[in-house]
Each structure stands twice: as C-alpha cells, then as structure tokens.
Amino acid sequence: GQGTAGHRSRMRSMYVLEKTVDIAAVCSAGGVSALTADDIIQAIDIPAEVYILHAGVEVITALNGTSPVLDVDFAAGDDFVDGASAASTGYCAAGTNGHVDYTAVSTFANRVTATDTIDVKVGAGANDVSTGKIRVYAVLCDISGVDETDSLRAATL
C-alpha cells in the first residue's frame, strides 16, 4: 500500500463542551418571573461534522417549583435525557427514552453533519420554576476532513 501512518498533527481528540445555566438569570433576561410549560433553553452550540459520544446534564442547584423535570436533546426532544427530576442535585439519568453511552436509540444518530444546538426543555407541574442551576455538557470528537486530497496513488506492478 501507498498509504501513510497516522501523524499526531492529524489526529483528532475528544473534547467537552459545556454551559452552566442559571434559571433565575434566564427568567430575568426573558422578563418573566418563572419558566412556563416546556420552555426551551438552547444551551450548547454544536459544530458541524462531529460525533457525539455522550451528552447530559448535571443539576448543580436543585430547581424550585412543582416536580421540575428536564429533557435534553436537539430540537427540544428527549434523546439524551428524558424526564429527569431536577428537584435534587447530581447527574441526571438517561430516563426511559434517553441515549445510552456509545449506542444510539432509534431516534438519534451520533453523527452531526450540520450545526445545531443542544436544547434543555424545562417542565414543572405548576409552571413555576424560577431558580436553580444546571450544567449541560457534551463529549464530542471532530470528524471533519484533515486532508481531503487523494493520497493513494495507482501503482504499476
């Protein structure tokens, strides 16, 4: 073969994108006293041509309100986290429809080909979530081309 061995300068590494979201600041910026039914927060901008290994949310300060829950996904869905309670601190479990590390649920593809955002949908029984803090994160790997020229040559034998 005429190929070349991998070079560190061309290798890609995994990396983490994260955003801490203060619910009180979101409410204040939006001019509201509390989030209403299924309000959407666009938390993380995801670049094109990446592979998502995992995404999720950590509740840093419990959300107030009546039974607050979180969904995390693209387009306000629930493929990463589905219906996780945000009434206490800690990492949210995937939930009944949530994405499991390194495997894809039927409605989710790990490869992202166009820019998008990871969204958090906040729900509560009485639409009264006004405080709390969460950290949304995604573990990504860049899969865009490094050298898209034809590096293999026809060989005459």
Side-chain angles (χ1 to χ4, degrees):
Q2 301 258 337
T4 60
H7 299 282
R8 178 69 186 123
S9 63
R10 291 183 169 195
M11 295 177 75
R12 301 298 169 98
S13 299
M14 290 183 288
Y15 62 99
V16 176
L17 294 178
E18 66 177 23
K19 177 76 63 85
T20 299
V21 179
D22 184 336
I23 300 299
V26 170
C27 291
S28 177
V32 297
S33 60
L35 299 180
T36 59
D38 299 328
D39 271 347
I40 310 299
I41 300 167
Q42 292 184 327
I44 301 177
D45 292 324
I46 300 295
E49 297 194 59
V50 296
Y51 191 86
I52 297 181
L53 299 171
H54 180 70
V57 65
E58 175 189 16
V59 179
I60 297 169
T61 305
L63 277 59
N64 70 335
T66 307
S67 304
V69 294
L70 303 173
D71 290 339
V72 179
D73 193 8
F74 295 107
D78 58 6
D79 286 339
F80 293 126
V81 174
D82 179 17
S85 173
S88 60
T89 60
Y91 287 92
C92 293
T96 56
N97 190 45
H99 176 72
V100 180
D101 295 350
Y102 306 109
T103 62
V105 293
S106 61
T107 57
F108 178 74
N110 297 68
R111 188 177 59 242
V112 179
T113 58
T115 59
D116 208 335
T117 60
I118 292 182
D119 305 331
V120 177
K121 182 166 48 175
V122 180
N127 305 324
D128 55 358
V129 175
S130 60
T131 64
K133 194 177 285 188
I134 60 174
R135 181 179 70 92
V136 184
Y137 61 90
V139 181
L140 311 169
C141 185
D142 183 351
I143 60 170
S144 62
V146 175
D147 179 6
E148 295 180 350
T149 60
D150 181 6
S151 58
L152 296 179
R153 298 180 188 153
T156 305
L157 299 176

